[in-house]
Structures are given as structure tokens and as C-alpha cells.
Amino acid sequence: MERRNLLRAAVLGGSAAVFGGTLWRGAAYAAPAQPGPGPYGALGSPDANGIRLPSGFTSRVIARSGQTVSGTSYTWHNAPDGGACYADGSGWIYVSNSEINPSGGASAVKFSSSGSITGAYRILSSTRQNCAGGKTPWNTWLSCEEVSLGYVYETDPWGVNAAVQRAAMGRFKHEAAAADPVRQVIYLTEDETNGRFYRFVPTTWGNLSSGTLQVMVAGSGTSGSFSWANVPDPDGSPTATRSQVSGSKSFNGGEGCHYADNTVWFTTKGDNRVWQLNLTSNTYELAYDDSLVNGTAPLTGVDNITGSSSGDLFVAEDGGNMEICLITPDDVVASFLRIDGQSGSEITGPAFSPDGTRLYFSSQRGTSGSSSGGITYEVTGPFRA
């Protein structure tokens, strides 16, 4: 479903303050109501894993950096970051990047239909600082290097086929990717203070070996119309891709990216915003802006983003108070979970199991604050359908 064309509610309860459509034009608006519980209710006390969850939800640890994954001989990677889930017969697979440089890469964990771990293995090696990425409709994982002149690597979640470098998708400080099967393009974010928002148009949908890299062209405001322009030199040398097209729109630190129902959302950490592109009308706007809610909304430090079947957006925090927050289709902003005692870390890689009943994510540096202290979790419960 498409979201409202403006962020209307800044807080958590059913009595959320309503901001009129003139808010974005600088008109006065009422102060937002006090934060309260969201659609899942208030967070409870920390569980045995230090996670505060709404009633009815439970957590378990799936893997820890530097330790073997339970029931396997595979040692989990350091600094777990972006991730995604894939159906695997009656079970599923969760893939996770490793944001370290050098080495980087990505790993996978396999689950049976009951949720038991049945295997773990490496799917990408010898790359650099693999941060986020994205799932393709043909069930591969795009793992993105968050380094200058970084590459996108297309990987096999089953670990059967060798990973392939996709140079045609551009060389820049890659962050996340989101596939749009309607327009047959891949959207890409760039983690620079003056980064751009891109799309890659493959020559043949389903084959990322060749195609055209384009950049979003728009005005400097927070809403309006946009278009796409070809990037003349996708390899980014000697001129960075973000500097090649006059009129391309600058974004302050592109992070997570998610596509659903003719809309693509992406986050920018430098200004703590969630942007929304309405692809049927070629217009863009803000879905969330921390500066407009007087600091009363829970979401700070926007980073990875994913969506559920209900249309809720789940946004992981890098900073803030280690929460995953949600933005509902009715524009209610709520805390869904919080990790206590890990203020030196960040939450990464949120992704739902194929049936939507389990949410996977990581604390990149865990309690130690070090890349070797990463912890990957699973939360199970009554997620909204």
C-alpha cells in the first residue's frame, strides 16, 4: 500500500498529533502529543538477552562473532551488518554482511521449517567493508562495499555459485540496494555527506552484468518532482559518480533502502530522515524527519530499513538508544524493540523470515563495542499480517 503523502503523526499512540499538509511549507503546527505505546504496545523489561520487547514476543541469539554457529562448525563473521531472508524449501536462509576492511564478505545461516539451525557457511570473501545490500527477485544477495570506489557483488545465498562483481552498477561508496520488479531496476544509496540516489537499469532484467547507471535529478527541497539522468562514467574515476550530472540531488549520508508497491523508501543518517519516492507520479517527499517532531519521536540515528507484509516500515538505529522503530502506514512512529547495555554498537540487518513471523537482525559490536563482539538475533511473535 502507498503511504500518505505527508508524515502526519509524530508519536506512538492512537491519539497521535496530526500535522496538516501545510507543515512542509513552514506553517505553524501543534506540538506533538507525548510518546506512548505503538501498535504492539509498550516495551517490557529486558529479557535474558537484554532485549526489551512488546508482550508476546521472544528473542534468541542465533550467532556471535568469532564463535561457531550452534549445531555447525562455521565461525560467524565480525561486524554483522545488512541482511535478508530467502525461502529454502520448507525452511529459510538468513544472509548477513561483514562490515570489516579488509576481508569483509558475507555469510549465511540455514533454518529448518521449525526454526532449528541446520547449517552456516561463507557466501562472499576477500571484499571490503560490506555494509548493506539488497535481495533480488531471482533470489540472489547484492552485497555492497562501503568504501570509495566500492563494488556491488552478486552472491548466492545457498553458497553454490561463486559471487560475481557487478561493475556496471557503478563504483562509489555503496550502502544499500532495493529491487523494483515493476520498472525492472535496482535502486542504490551512497554513504557520503553529499551522496546521491541512483538506479541501475539492467540491459536484461535478471542479469546484472550490463546496463545503465542513472542518478536522481531534483531540486534542493524536501518534496517535488524528480527524473533520472544517465551517469556518463559509472566507474567513478577520475570524477566521482556523484559529481558527474548537473542537477543531481544531494543526500546527507544514504543508508537503508526498501521497495514495495510502487514506492521506494531510503534513509539518510546525516539529517535523520526517511525519504519516500512515489514512483507512479515521479514525486518525492519526506516520510520522516526528526527535526519536525521536536525530539519526542523515538527514532534517531536512522540506518537499515525493511518492511513487513502489513506495510509497516522497520528502521534500525545507528545511535539513538539501540532500537528498531516502526513507521506504520498511518504514519505512527513507534519503538518496536530496544537492546540494553550495548550503547557502543548499532542495530543492523533487519529482515523477516518468508512467513513474516520471525525478525532477524544484529547488534554489530555487541556489549564489547568491538567488531569482534557482534551478535545476531531472532525475534519471534505475533507480527501484524
Side-chain angles (χ1 to χ4, degrees):
M1 69 184 68
E2 290 193 19
R3 310 182 76 77
R4 297 182 187 178
N5 62 344
L6 295 172
L7 175 66
R8 308 230 189 268
V11 296
L12 315 176
S15 59
V18 175
F19 297 169
T22 57
L23 166 63
W24 304 103
R25 294 193 291 272
Y29 57 92
Q34 292 300 308
Y40 292 105
L43 302 185
S45 301
D47 65 10
N49 298 316
I51 300 180
R52 296 177 181 266
L53 291 161
S55 177
F57 290 86
T58 59
S59 76
R60 67 166 170 160
V61 173
I62 297 302
R64 294 179 183 271
S65 296
Q67 299 183 22
T68 55
V69 179
S70 177
T72 78
S73 60
Y74 182 73
T75 301
W76 197 236
H77 55 260
N78 288 349
D81 207 287
C85 280
Y86 299 80
D88 179 45
S90 60
W92 60 92
I93 296 170
Y94 177 68
V95 300
S96 170
N97 281 342
S98 176
E99 195 188 12
I100 57 174
N101 188 9
S103 298
S107 303
V109 180
K110 292 187 77 169
F111 299 87
S112 70
S113 59
S114 66
S116 298
I117 295 173
T118 61
Y121 45 90
R122 174 70 59 154
I123 62 172
L124 177 65
S125 300
S126 302
T127 54
R128 304 170 295 163
Q129 203 160 323
N130 297 77
C131 195
K135 178 180 179 179
T136 69
W138 48 94
N139 286 327
T140 59
W141 168 245
L142 301 179
S143 183
C144 299
E145 290 184 314
E146 189 196 359
V147 295
S148 177
L149 299 179
Y151 286 102
V152 175
Y153 288 84
E154 187 170 16
T155 68
D156 176 13
W158 286 262
V160 175
N161 299 312
V164 179
Q165 186 184 91
R166 296 304 191 192
M169 299 183 77
R171 297 193 65 187
F172 52 88
K173 199 172 183 180
H174 282 278
E175 184 70 32
D180 175 353
V182 177
R183 289 149 202 87
Q184 299 188 341
V185 301
I186 308 288
Y187 302 103
L188 301 161
T189 57
E190 181 178 26
D191 192 358
E192 300 274 10
T193 56
N194 62 340
R196 293 325 195 241
F197 188 72
Y198 303 89
R199 74 175 187 179
F200 178 68
V201 187
T203 303
T204 302
W205 185 235
N207 183 343
L208 303 179
S209 62
S210 66
T212 303
L213 182 68
Q214 299 181 325
V215 66
M216 178 179 167
V217 174
S220 60
T222 55
S223 64
S225 61
F226 68 89
S227 60
W228 300 99
N230 292 350
V231 175
D233 187 12
D235 70 5
S237 179
T239 304
T241 55
R242 64 186 180 277
S243 301
Q244 292 182 26
V245 176
S246 177
S248 61
K249 185 169 178 60
S250 175
F251 292 97
N252 191 350
E255 290 285 340
C257 191
H258 175 68
Y259 169 86
D261 299 328
N262 296 309
T263 306
V264 61
W265 295 271
F266 64 96
T267 62
T268 49
K269 65 184 180 184
D271 46 20
N272 207 44
R273 287 170 166 173
V274 180
W275 297 83
Q276 172 180 325
L277 270 62
N278 305 306
L279 300 168
T280 54
S281 62
N282 284 338
T283 58
Y284 72 96
E285 58 197 299
L286 290 172
Y288 176 79
D289 185 354
D290 180 63
S291 69
L292 295 177
V293 295
N294 294 342
T296 59
L299 179 56
T300 58
V302 300
D303 202 306
N304 291 173
I305 185 171
T306 193
S308 68
S309 59
S310 66
D312 293 330
L313 298 176
F314 285 73
V315 186
E317 289 186 340
D318 177 0
N321 54 355
M322 286 289 289
E323 291 187 340
I324 292 180
C325 295
L326 60 85
I327 305 174
T328 73
D330 295 327
D331 297 321
V332 174
V333 183
S335 299
F336 172 71
L337 66 79
R338 181 185 309 144
I339 304 177
D340 281 5
Q342 299 187 28
S343 59
S345 185
E346 62 183 274
I347 297 181
T348 59
F352 282 93
S353 60
D355 66 0
T357 64
R358 302 168 191 251
L359 175 65
Y360 295 92
F361 60 94
S362 296
S363 170
Q364 190 179 79
R365 297 179 292 278
T367 57
S368 70
S370 166
S371 63
S372 61
I375 309 170
T376 299
Y377 299 97
E378 173 195 86
V379 165
T380 305
F383 288 99
R384 304 199 302 173

